[in-house]
Amino acid sequence: MPTRRVRIPATKYPVERYTLDNGLRVVLTPDRSAPVIGVAVVYDVGIRSEPEGRTGFAHLFEHLMFQGSENLEKLAHFRHVQGAGGTFNGSTHLDYTDYFETLPSNALERALFLEADRMRGPRLTEENLRNQVDVVKEEIRVNVLNRPYGGFPWLTLPPVMFDTFPNAHDGYGSFVDLESATVADAADFFRRYYASGNAVLAVSGDIDVAEATTLIERHFSDVPARPAPRRPDFTEPDLTVERRSTYTDTLAPLPAVAGAWRVPDPIDDFAGYLPYVVLAEVLTDGDASRLVERLVQRDRTVTGLGGYLGFMGDPFDVRDPTALLLQAHLPPGGDVDKVLRTIDEEVDRLATDGLTQGELARTQARMATHLLRDTDAVLGRALRMAVLEQQRGEPGLLNELPRLVGEVTEEQVRAAAATLRPERRAAVEVIPGGAR
């Protein structure tokens, strides 16, 4: 019986894109349905770009960009956004750092002024640097060092899978590297990576394109032109022999394991990459998924598991090399080797026997729903389009993603599953040290 294809609803968000003389790329996507705007600025610098001896610097700099700028004192950004009824934040990823606001549409110029001012230059003082180093160190204590399964697996698996510094190092940062950072180091990092030619500005929501273009020119055209830096080489050979590692987590009450396999280049081989995105969901998304049904419900060898593309969990904002990850938490005394063998069995069964009736369509419908929901809000749309412009020069791909997911065939998913061989896997096991 032929596989039933799922019908995916399409979005038709309009896209206007252009580049200022200083190299800043701009993406506008008007939507007059509600008086709200999302503003996002994405810089092409992330954890993988930071130099040796400066681990955690990409994340540290995200903090420094909120400590005042050329014409604004410390905390002024907070006051101006919240005073207009808006919200704001920033985040650091493997391949980019973003800054964003959601505001009433009558505050568009305010948001543009704020972002342009810190693009010209944040306030890099000794006081600000030392204060934010302490803040980042406290984040590491709270989120990694003093939390069960802290950094698992996004910090603990890359050094097992990869050999080069960009891909394998701890992106949260070492205390030694953070404490040795100087204002001069920060200024150099800003000069190199926070260039107008290395950034994308995206505005989504209740805007008039002509008016927004005028305001963007007014506030960003005099930002000094600096070209994008040369991106470091992230190239890594694929694994040909399985790599395994274990460590004891003194706070973890139960064992856990995560495994990862390299996948095709998500930028240059997008058609080859998409089946792996679908495969991860077929294996782990929902109670009816392959591995949940087998490992959680039937065998009860794990208490929970998940699967996703990319070490930080978003398949459409990462460059090569990246991986398909599966992670599981086990009951007391659980057998990690048995769990990995069962995963291999189920993946082989999928590759050999194919999917059951309706399995692929159900998975694709869920995925499309998530994609549509994530970009329904104006900020989600601005962020996604900014990253798609940054990495691909295709912000309009946002409209195509649900359809492209729905066009992945059973044969493509089976072929992807056939490549998840044990000899291509990197795995890390958490030995619990916190059981009582």
Side-chain angles (χ1 to χ4, degrees), residues 384-419:
R384 175 60 54 82
M385 285 196 177
V387 176
L388 290 173
E389 170 63 36
Q390 181 72 264
Q391 297 184 348
R392 304 166 181 272
E394 294 182 81
L397 184 62
L398 175 142
N399 289 317
E400 303 298 321
L401 285 175
R403 176 184 62 81
L404 293 171
V405 163
E407 290 178 354
V408 171
T409 66
E410 177 179 347
E411 291 71 25
Q412 290 174 312
V413 174
R414 292 176 63 179
T419 70

Side-chain angles (χ1 to χ4, degrees), residues 32-77:
R32 310 308 292 269
S33 61
V36 181
I37 55 167
V39 178
V41 178
V42 171
Y43 294 90
D44 197 344
V45 54
I47 289 168
R48 288 202 270 207
S49 298
E50 58 194 19
E52 293 191 54
R54 288 291 169 261
T55 59
F57 221 82
H59 179 221
L60 171 63
F61 216 87
E62 176 211 321
H63 285 255
L64 289 172
M65 288 287 280
F66 285 98
Q67 302 307 301
S69 52
E70 187 174 79
N71 295 294
L72 294 169
E73 73 278 11
K74 190 171 183 175
L75 302 182
H77 193 107

Side-chain angles (χ1 to χ4, degrees), residues 140-210:
I140 295 171
R141 292 187 187 99
V142 171
N143 294 332
V144 179
L145 300 179
N146 296 320
R147 172 179 291 185
Y149 313 103
F152 171 79
W154 77 279
L155 293 178
T156 57
L157 189 51
V160 182
M161 170 165 264
F162 298 122
D163 297 319
T164 65
F165 174 80
N167 298 309
H169 77 278
D170 181 346
Y172 237 140
S174 76
F175 283 14
V176 171
D177 286 355
L178 290 168
E179 289 167 353
S180 65
T182 66
V183 172
D185 294 329
D188 181 64
F189 194 86
F190 176 79
R191 180 189 58 78
R192 291 171 62 189
Y193 295 109
Y194 278 73
S196 53
N198 207 36
V200 173
L201 164 68
V203 183
S204 176
D206 184 22
I207 58 171
D208 175 83
V209 170

Side-chain angles (χ1 to χ4, degrees), residues 13-18 23-29 38-45 91 93 95-101 115 119 196-204 231 267 314 316-319 374-375 377-399 401:
Y13 297 121
V15 181
E16 301 278 346
R17 56 193 292 263
Y18 58 93
L24 176 67
R25 285 181 277 171
V26 179
V27 178
L28 303 177
T29 175
V39 178
V41 178
V42 171
Y43 294 90
D44 197 344
V45 54
S91 58
H93 301 254
D95 293 309
Y96 66 93
T97 306
D98 58 24
Y99 303 88
F100 48 87
E101 296 87 16
E115 292 296 350
M119 187 179 287
S196 53
N198 207 36
V200 173
L201 164 68
V203 183
S204 176
R231 192 178 305 117
I267 307 295
D314 191 326
F316 302 119
D317 70 354
V318 67
R319 293 188 171 102
D374 290 346
T375 56
V378 290
L379 180 59
R381 210 173 308 156
L383 283 166
R384 175 60 54 82
M385 285 196 177
V387 176
L388 290 173
E389 170 63 36
Q390 181 72 264
Q391 297 184 348
R392 304 166 181 272
E394 294 182 81
L397 184 62
L398 175 142
N399 289 317
L401 285 175

Side-chain angles (χ1 to χ4, degrees), residues 93-322:
H93 301 254
L94 287 179
D95 293 309
Y96 66 93
T97 306
D98 58 24
Y99 303 88
F100 48 87
E101 296 87 16
T102 301
L103 288 156
S105 54
N106 62 6
L108 172 62
E109 185 164 17
R110 180 178 300 210
L112 297 176
F113 165 75
L114 293 171
E115 292 296 350
D117 203 59
R118 63 178 167 187
M119 187 179 287
R120 291 187 192 91
R123 294 201 176 196
L124 301 177
T125 65
E126 183 69 21
E127 178 187 2
N128 284 343
L129 177 60
R130 299 275 70 88
N131 175 268
Q132 294 309 303
V133 164
D134 288 343
V135 170
V136 171
K137 287 168 59 180
E138 186 61 20
E139 272 197 36
I140 295 171
R141 292 187 187 99
V142 171
N143 294 332
V144 179
L145 300 179
N146 296 320
R147 172 179 291 185
Y149 313 103
F152 171 79
W154 77 279
L155 293 178
T156 57
L157 189 51
V160 182
M161 170 165 264
F162 298 122
D163 297 319
T164 65
F165 174 80
N167 298 309
H169 77 278
D170 181 346
Y172 237 140
S174 76
F175 283 14
V176 171
D177 286 355
L178 290 168
E179 289 167 353
S180 65
T182 66
V183 172
D185 294 329
D188 181 64
F189 194 86
F190 176 79
R191 180 189 58 78
R192 291 171 62 189
Y193 295 109
Y194 278 73
S196 53
N198 207 36
V200 173
L201 164 68
V203 183
S204 176
D206 184 22
I207 58 171
D208 175 83
V209 170
E211 179 186 359
T213 299
T214 299
L215 293 175
I216 290 167
E217 288 273 358
R218 178 183 303 166
H219 291 284
F220 285 92
S221 62
D222 65 347
V223 174
R226 298 197 310 279
R230 181 178 179 181
R231 192 178 305 117
D233 183 6
F234 302 149
T235 303
E236 291 261 358
D238 197 0
L239 299 184
T240 55
V241 177
E242 184 181 20
R243 293 183 179 182
R244 295 277 294 271
S245 179
T246 64
Y247 70 97
T248 299
D249 184 334
T250 59
L251 299 175
L254 298 170
V257 65
W261 298 258
R262 287 279 298 277
V263 296
D265 188 323
I267 307 295
D268 293 339
D269 186 14
F270 191 51
Y273 174 77
L274 270 177
Y276 289 85
V277 181
V278 177
L279 172 61
E281 301 297 315
V282 167
L283 292 173
T284 66
D285 186 33
D287 290 344
S289 63
R290 291 284 177 123
L291 294 181
V292 173
E293 193 278 331
R294 171 75 187 274
L295 289 163
V296 179
Q297 298 175 356
R298 191 195 323 172
D299 295 355
R300 299 188 178 181
T301 50
V302 308
T303 58
L305 84 162
Y308 47 94
L309 270 291
F311 290 89
M312 299 184 79
D314 191 326
F316 302 119
D317 70 354
V318 67
R319 293 188 171 102
D320 190 64
T322 189

